[in-house]
Amino acid sequence: MIARLGLGFCASEMGSIWRTTRALCSPHHSSRIGRLRMSTQELLKVDIINEKQGVGEICMQKSPVNSLDRAMLAGLVDSISRLERDGCRALLITSGVRGIFSAGLNLLDLYDQQKEDLLQYWGMVQEMFLRLYGTSMLTVACITGAAPAAGCLISTSCDYRLMLDQPKTVIGLNESLVGLPVPDWMRMNFCDVVGRRQTDLALQMGLLFPARDALRIGLVDQVADSPEQLREAALQRVAQFLKVPDEGRVPSKRISTEPLLSYLSGRRQKDAELFVTSLSQESVQAVMGKYLEALRNKKA
Amino acid sequence: MIARLGLGFCASEMGSIWRTTRALCSPHHSSRIGRLRMSTQELLKVDIINEKQGVGEICMQKSPVNSLDRAMLAGLVDSISRLERDGCRALLITSGVRGIFSAGLNLLDLYDQQKEDLLQYWGMVQEMFLRLYGTSMLTVACITGAAPAAGCLISTSCDYRLMLDQPKTVIGLNESLVGLPVPDWMRMNFCDVVGRRQTDLALQMGLLFPARDALRIGLVDQVADSPEQLREAALQRVAQFLKVPDEGRVPSKRISTEPLLSYLSGRRQKDAELFVTSLSQESVQAVMGKYLEALRNKKA
Amino acid sequence: MIARLGLGFCASEMGSIWRTTRALCSPHHSSRIGRLRMSTQELLKVDIINEKQGVGEICMQKSPVNSLDRAMLAGLVDSISRLERDGCRALLITSGVRGIFSAGLNLLDLYDQQKEDLLQYWGMVQEMFLRLYGTSMLTVACITGAAPAAGCLISTSCDYRLMLDQPKTVIGLNESLVGLPVPDWMRMNFCDVVGRRQTDLALQMGLLFPARDALRIGLVDQVADSPEQLREAALQRVAQFLKVPDEGRVPSKRISTEPLLSYLSGRRQKDAELFVTSLSQESVQAVMGKYLEALRNKKA
């Protein structure tokens, strides 16, 4: 599975990306909160799992690796907004794909693209982060599978992280392996979780951490031996967090998140330009091209 | 005892606060350094415990929970100044109350008060912090009992912390539990000790840590099994610190404390306004009102 | 050996310093990269140890304690530049002196000197740091012996640190013991490695850490039981780092080092003035004088 993930950038759904995007804009509801139905698949399952406590869940279930293409990014933003409007106080981010949390950004959206498309795609990545990291809801990542690159970003954007202790389930910002530097705000977000030294080491080496190592450096807060145990632990932790009245919890969260939210909000265009410039380097595109070809050969 | 502490804000000495304040301004001395005699009780016992090394001690002994009312705050400021004038190089902060280090701010000074009174009280809290955190003396907190909220602040304002490993002796900034956000400078001071991640988690959840957990996250530096062992360890550590000549030790301390001292000194009025605004929210006052009533019923 | 190191400032090569400096400016080469031949001794042995991977090594071998006098500082700067020009991607800093990595700055360059000489010497210390910390090469410190004061600085300026676990091999910024505050940029560099709390404690107390303690607080990344094991582990780690393409590794390093490089580059003159002022205090010079005399008596 990890072999298929490769560098944390996913290219497994070649084609069929754009079909689903439009669908997102007018989703059909199948429950109170509704589910975001995509053309032929459900990318995200969104539910309120505890009405009394106000706990919502966004389950990523986009086979094979929950890659963050435009449809997924827009779906995440939309789902967060809807759960907030519905008065949720907490949000669980989970995965419905076995062995995968999210493989991160979609390589096909990054390889051999026009600059305008790249800028737009990156804007959606920023938006997803700003909405998830910036929500007043308590956010808990249930990392039941691999979470490289932007899969790690989703995790570190949450207030709490639980991770399944099983082979091949790893987490980290491994962008440097494909020749891409991690954008500064993504680095800051990671650094706020594990501290400066581990950030330097992990990002320079492109390290992916198994659950026990992730726990040791503080990249996750808790590990579990089975998905069931993980979910139960997550719900217990949510209940514990929600005992704190929102008058205390929400400002405590805001004082923590505000600096990075302000920083990125104030330089979205500049950040996008920087990223696209890094990405467009011939050497980087060459690494990606090779990687995509390897994937195609593997499938053939 | 912890039950009586409740949320780390103390309201156990209803009445009798103002009587003592004036006394503080003209204290009677009973030893070289003198003791601050309050109308009917001694709030603080101040002594030089090692003339040769220049080690002073401030022992908080205001039953039942060393709450930080105006008299205690003024007494702490005054005692620090006097020990400095007397040439002390080190200061032990201890408690003479069994099971309690300090329960923090006095709830009666925060509940249902006029804005002017709140601003003045908060100014005294700031002043106590600036004097304790800003002193050139080596400061060591001997945490022999519970240290919630501002009891934790006193501890983290010191250079070194030892904590008694016994049931009910906990430490932490649990303000969010009463719907109050921790002021930014208090958060920064806590963060300098335990780091960003533990700060986020502890403040959002209002966590109180037993000694072993406090040691694990770095909130205290050493634990002891008995008050006697703790005191002996503290004195050993003081002697070790004082082997460093003040030419090296004092600038090393100042380079560490100066940024936060400057920050708060430059915005005391603004900080006070912010705190009073948070505090005056109906929802916060309501939580406090309920808590005070519960305390009264318990006593009756 | 440690007794001879004393406070991490070295004064063991009284005389014979200036003879070697000129030699440095026109070094003779004895291999492709060349060796910096000093008048009568080789201060530094510089080699490419793996042509294929592009791994260079600078071995400090200035008996008895690798003190950083002008010749050593200039030699380090020069060696780094030459390895860069030669296309090296990685650099090992090692010691050829048994039991010593580097004892740090040369006390004779700090004691009883003219202000202009002190300013010039300090400028060379800054330059060495800026070049070592600022290089794009992956840098690995092989700490096979004591590394107090600027010996620690050299270590923390590298990307990775391995340390020999043996008696008397310690590391730390112990400047406060001679009454000298650690300059702010040196403190920042240390803090980026071990975090704020350990920095406060270590610098105020002038702590020197044995290998296991250094590992525990994150001051080194790995320990080894013998010099051979250490070297093997270092080379393995270098190979692992170098699997990351420079397109990803170098910007990941630069985003980490750039703030401190900019900070110090922008205030070299001011920093030097501050240091010289601290150093010139009578009390500090007095401590040094006593220390030098003790050394002389020991030799006699």
Side-chain angles (χ1 to χ4, degrees), chain A residues 133 137-139 158-161 191-194 218 221 237 240-241 243-245 247-253 255-257 259, chain B residues 174-185 187-188 195-201 203-207 278 281 283-284 287:
Chain A
Y133 183 69
M137 292 186 288
L138 164 74
T139 47
C158 290
D159 296 306
Y160 200 82
R161 284 158 288 284
C191 189
D192 284 344
V193 175
V194 302
D221 301 298
R237 195 55 68 153
Q240 191 188 353
F241 266 97
K243 278 184 193 160
V244 181
E247 284 82 4
R249 187 186 59 78
V250 174
S252 292
K253 175 166 183 172
I255 201 176
S256 166
T257 55
Chain B
N174 59 335
E175 280 83 346
S176 67
L177 293 180
V178 288
L180 265 182
V182 171
D184 61 355
W185 56 271
R187 178 188 169 86
M188 291 173 200
R196 169 71 183 250
R197 175 59 192 151
Q198 292 299 334
T199 299
D200 280 351
L201 208 49
L203 270 57
Q204 211 182 128
M205 299 184 81
L207 297 179
S278 293
Q281 290 172 88
S283 54
V284 175
V287 174

Side-chain angles (χ1 to χ4, degrees), chain C residues 6-162:
Chain C
L7 304 169
F9 293 91
C10 172
S12 357
E13 308 89 297
M14 307 197 181
S16 88
I17 296 166
W18 287 101
R19 270 177 283 149
T20 60
T21 313
R22 184 180 306 271
L24 248 186
C25 303
S26 57
H28 303 272
H29 293 200
S30 69
S31 77
R32 187 153 83 86
I33 275 292
R35 298 186 177 187
L36 301 173
R37 289 205 174 272
M38 304 309 139
S39 48
T40 54
Q41 65 174 146
E42 289 181 334
L43 299 185
L44 300 168
K45 189 161 79 72
V46 184
D47 280 305
I48 293 183
I49 56 173
N50 186 325
E51 296 252 359
K52 199 181 157 199
Q53 289 182 356
V55 183
E57 175 177 357
I58 298 178
C59 178
M60 300 181 286
Q61 48 183 20
K62 176 166 175 283
S63 284
V65 294
N66 281 330
S67 68
L68 300 171
D69 60 12
R70 284 171 164 83
M72 279 288 272
L73 292 170
L76 285 167
V77 167
D78 187 62
S79 306
I80 293 166
S81 296
R82 288 203 281 155
L83 289 169
E84 284 175 344
R85 280 198 304 270
D86 216 69
C88 278
R89 295 179 63 213
L91 164 61
L92 251 60
I93 309 265
T94 63
S95 166
V97 178
R98 197 179 174 81
I100 294 287
F101 182 66
S102 164
L105 301 186
N106 188 42
L107 197 51
L108 284 183
D109 283 317
L110 299 176
Y111 179 67
D112 196 21
Q113 298 291 309
Q114 296 296 311
K115 190 183 168 189
E116 278 314 304
D117 289 335
L118 288 172
L119 287 173
Q120 192 226 3
Y121 179 64
W122 193 249
M124 295 183 75
V125 175
Q126 294 171 336
E127 183 67 16
M128 185 277 290
F129 170 75
L130 290 170
R131 290 297 289 117
L132 175 57
Y133 184 70
T135 182
S136 289
M137 293 186 286
L138 164 72
T139 46
V140 174
C142 296
I143 308 160
T144 50
C152 177
L153 174 68
I154 290 182
S155 306
T156 53
S157 302
C158 290
D159 296 307
Y160 199 82
R161 283 159 288 286
L162 302 99

Side-chain angles (χ1 to χ4, degrees), chain B residues 45-276:
Chain B
K45 189 160 81 70
V46 183
D47 280 304
I48 292 183
I49 56 173
N50 185 325
E51 295 252 0
K52 197 181 157 200
Q53 289 183 356
V55 183
E57 175 177 357
I58 298 178
C59 177
M60 301 181 285
Q61 47 182 19
K62 176 165 174 281
S63 284
V65 294
N66 280 331
S67 68
L68 300 171
D69 59 14
R70 284 171 164 83
M72 279 288 271
L73 294 170
L76 285 166
V77 167
D78 187 61
S79 307
I80 292 165
S81 296
R82 287 203 282 154
L83 289 168
E84 284 174 344
R85 280 199 303 270
D86 216 69
C88 278
R89 296 179 63 212
L91 164 61
L92 252 60
I93 308 266
T94 63
S95 166
V97 179
R98 198 179 172 81
I100 293 289
F101 182 67
S102 164
L105 302 185
N106 189 44
L107 198 50
L108 285 183
D109 283 318
L110 299 176
Y111 180 66
D112 196 21
Q113 297 291 309
Q114 297 296 311
K115 190 184 169 188
E116 279 314 304
D117 290 333
L118 287 171
L119 287 173
Q120 192 226 1
Y121 179 64
W122 193 249
M124 295 183 76
V125 175
Q126 295 171 335
E127 183 67 16
M128 185 276 291
F129 169 74
L130 290 170
R131 291 296 289 118
L132 175 58
Y133 184 69
T135 182
S136 290
M137 292 185 287
L138 163 73
T139 47
V140 174
C142 297
I143 309 160
T144 49
C152 177
L153 174 68
I154 289 182
S155 306
T156 53
S157 301
C158 290
D159 296 307
Y160 199 82
R161 283 159 289 285
L162 302 100
M163 185 169 173
L164 198 54
D165 184 14
Q166 67 185 3
K168 297 186 183 170
T169 288
V170 291
I171 186 169
L173 293 179
N174 59 335
E175 280 83 346
S176 67
L177 293 180
V178 288
L180 265 182
V182 171
D184 61 355
W185 56 271
M186 222 180 265
R187 178 188 169 86
M188 291 173 200
N189 173 245
F190 188 87
C191 190
D192 284 344
V193 175
V194 301
R196 169 71 183 250
R197 175 59 192 151
Q198 292 299 334
T199 299
D200 280 351
L201 208 49
L203 270 57
Q204 211 182 128
M205 299 184 81
L207 297 179
L208 290 172
F209 300 88
R212 291 280 155 194
D213 290 337
L215 183 67
R216 185 181 46 79
I217 69 164
L219 184 48
V220 300
D221 301 299
Q222 223 171 318
V223 299
D225 289 328
S226 72
E228 295 71 31
Q229 279 177 20
L230 190 148
R231 190 171 182 90
E232 197 186 317
L235 292 174
Q236 278 176 5
R237 195 56 68 153
V238 166
Q240 192 187 355
F241 265 98
L242 294 186
K243 277 184 194 159
V244 181
D246 277 5
E247 285 82 5
R249 188 186 60 77
V250 173
S252 292
K253 175 166 184 173
R254 272 203 209 117
I255 201 176
S256 167
T257 54
E258 200 277 330
L260 185 51
L261 291 173
S262 293
Y263 177 75
L264 179 57
S265 299
R267 46 178 274 140
R268 289 182 66 168
Q269 186 61 30
K270 189 175 176 188
D271 174 65
E273 299 275 359
L274 276 173
F275 180 75
V276 170

Side-chain angles (χ1 to χ4, degrees), chain A residues 57-70:
Chain A
E57 175 177 357
I58 298 177
C59 178
M60 301 181 284
Q61 47 181 20
K62 177 165 175 282
S63 285
V65 295
N66 281 330
S67 68
L68 300 171
D69 60 13
R70 284 171 165 82

